[in-house]
Amino acid sequence: MSVYRDRAYRGTARATVLRTVGARERRSHLTAPRVPTVGIDIGGTKVMAGVVDADGTILEKVRTETPDKSKSPKVVEDTITELVLDLSDRHDVHAVGIGAAGWVDADRSRVLFAPHLNWRNEPLRDRLAERLAVPVMVDNDANTAAWAEWRFGAGRGQDHLVMITLGTGIGGAILEDGAIKRGKYGVAGEFGHMQVVPGGHRCPCGNRGCWEQYSSGNALVREARELAAADSPVAYNIIERVGGRVGDITGPLITELAREGDAMCVELLQDIGQWLGVGIANLAAALDPSCFVIGGGVSAADDLLISPARDAFRRHLTGRGYRPEATIAKAQLGPEAGMVGAADLARLIARRFRRANRRRVERYERYERAGRR
């Protein structure tokens, strides 16, 4: 068990840390302590935890299935606590960062809403901090992934970066001059719910025509299943692969068949890529970044997806031919990006905690010396 965890995080130091968690990180990562921290990535299907060093190297990683979303939030918190304590038995953990798939408030203390978990205005940071006895940071998982790519991956050296995460839906993050732009209320970056087709496909958010209904893992699978259910001749290969069970068609299977040259699957990824390029062109008009980083599970399709996106981006970019074009790069850190970014952001809290704890010790020593006089 970590000695640090046993003796730290008491008294005024704890209160000081929690008050400073919401401060902007800017470039303070350069002065953060080079200590190991734990990053947690919470999704709809899995909870992944890892100990990460100051260079972004994963020292150890563990994962488990996400408890069923119908269970109480405490069940998920129990799972997170168990993973952190397990890692703490073998590593001297100084802080914990959480990347949650949901809306996190501006103070990075509460999960306002999580579509895949039963979290509604959940005070996740404070509840976990009480149980783990180390500082805890909570952020949106796309923000943590973008931070990781900026620090250690495809976004290194970029001062204006936008990340797009393509998974079940579309998430995103904005990073400018070493700071994540979270917005006034902490929920910036929900790019997947920009309306691109008025009156289009219904989205779980309640609106119609959202971007993620045309360029996401759900969109890819929906189109493939519709063709298979209609017994389309172009879908015979994938129907045979799943034994006629249309419900077994998944995004990874579509990508696999596309790599093997299946014409339908290649075309579906091209369609998703083209819609991706349209949305990126809209974001370029609004935000004018130097780089777009494409991550998430669907990005595993590589150039089958990225090449059509680049082509569509150039066709739809406002002022094309008369302005600098942002680069579009595939994320380099893979599915661990959110975990690595959460751990690295937590190092900023470890620095603040260490200073606050040191001030508490210094005050105690001054009082002790004064008492001996």
Side-chain angles (χ1 to χ4, degrees):
M1 190 67 67
S2 167
V3 175
Y4 178 92
R5 184 160 56 88
D6 287 344
R7 72 188 180 200
Y9 210 63
R10 298 190 181 97
T12 57
R14 176 177 180 272
T16 302
V17 170
L18 294 181
R19 284 197 300 270
T20 59
V21 166
R24 294 197 303 172
E25 56 274 351
R26 297 192 182 179
R27 294 194 181 277
S28 55
H29 68 279
L30 297 173
T31 57
R34 298 183 63 82
V35 295
T37 52
V38 168
I40 309 283
D41 184 20
I42 308 171
T45 60
K46 60 95 175 67
V47 179
M48 182 165 55
V51 180
V52 182
D53 69 14
D55 298 315
T57 302
I58 300 171
L59 305 179
E60 185 181 354
K61 179 178 66 175
V62 292
R63 63 177 291 166
T64 187
E65 292 184 358
T66 304
D68 187 84
K69 64 182 179 181
S70 65
K71 296 179 181 177
S72 70
K74 184 179 181 300
V75 177
V76 182
E77 292 164 13
D78 289 342
T79 301
I80 296 169
T81 301
E82 290 170 6
L83 293 177
V84 173
L85 295 182
D86 178 43
L87 292 169
S88 297
D89 285 339
R90 296 177 297 281
H91 303 272
D92 190 19
V93 174
H94 287 249
V96 174
I98 310 286
W103 292 358
V104 178
D105 69 358
D107 290 334
R108 283 176 280 170
S109 62
R110 292 177 175 269
V111 180
L112 301 176
F113 173 78
H116 305 295
L117 294 167
N118 192 23
W119 280 340
R120 304 293 183 268
N121 200 30
E122 184 69 17
L124 183 63
R125 182 191 70 187
D126 293 352
R127 288 187 175 174
L128 288 175
E130 290 175 359
R131 301 177 66 176
L132 296 175
V134 292
V136 175
M137 180 231 51
V138 179
D139 208 337
N140 172 265
D141 58 349
N143 287 341
T144 61
W147 180 265
E149 291 292 341
W150 176 70
R151 288 273 284 127
F152 310 112
R156 282 176 293 183
Q158 300 289 343
D159 54 0
H160 288 76
L161 177 148
V162 170
M163 181 148 188
I164 310 293
T165 57
L166 297 179
T168 303
I170 295 181
I174 307 162
L175 201 148
E176 293 183 6
D177 195 27
I180 297 171
K181 299 299 184 182
R182 298 180 174 86
K184 173 66 176 178
Y185 305 108
V187 296
E190 291 295 331
F191 306 139
H193 299 290
M194 300 186 304
Q195 189 182 59
V196 295
V197 180
H201 290 295
R202 175 72 72 180
C203 180
C205 76
N207 292 326
R208 287 186 178 273
C210 291
W211 186 25
E212 69 176 41
Q213 292 305 305
Y214 300 88
S215 184
S216 67
N218 270 355
L220 181 66
V221 171
R222 182 193 65 229
E223 296 296 315
R225 288 179 178 177
E226 285 182 1
L227 286 168
D231 204 24
S232 170
V234 300
Y236 283 173
N237 193 19
I238 199 168
I239 292 173
E240 183 179 359
R241 183 66 67 93
V242 298
R245 296 182 295 273
V246 174
D248 289 347
I249 295 175
T250 64
L253 175 60
I254 297 168
T255 299
E256 178 185 342
L257 290 175
R259 288 192 176 121
E260 294 173 2
D262 182 89
M264 182 198 79
C265 293
V266 169
E267 183 177 341
L268 288 178
L269 281 168
Q270 288 176 340
D271 289 345
I272 296 297
Q274 287 171 6
W275 277 112
L276 175 61
V278 170
I280 290 175
N282 289 341
L283 290 173
L287 302 174
D288 191 31
S290 59
C291 177
F292 288 95
V293 176
I294 312 301
V298 182
S299 69
D302 298 320
D303 281 344
L304 290 168
L305 174 82
I306 302 297
S307 291
R310 289 190 179 114
D311 292 341
F313 169 69
R314 295 188 185 101
R315 288 198 307 272
H316 293 275
L317 180 64
T318 302
R320 51 194 174 275
Y322 297 96
R323 57 177 289 174
E325 291 185 9
T327 59
I328 300 175
K330 182 178 180 274
Q332 294 179 358
L333 302 183
E336 286 85 16
M339 180 184 73
V340 171
D344 196 61
L345 284 166
R347 289 176 58 243
L348 308 177
I349 305 171
R351 173 178 62 83
R352 297 182 186 117
F353 175 75
R354 188 174 65 176
R355 289 180 179 176
N357 196 46
R358 185 175 67 236
R359 286 195 296 268
R360 181 175 62 85
V361 172
E362 289 172 350
R363 283 197 300 269
Y364 176 80
E365 290 174 347
R366 285 199 301 270
Y367 296 151
E368 191 175 57
R369 286 195 300 269
R372 288 197 297 264
R373 290 174 184 171

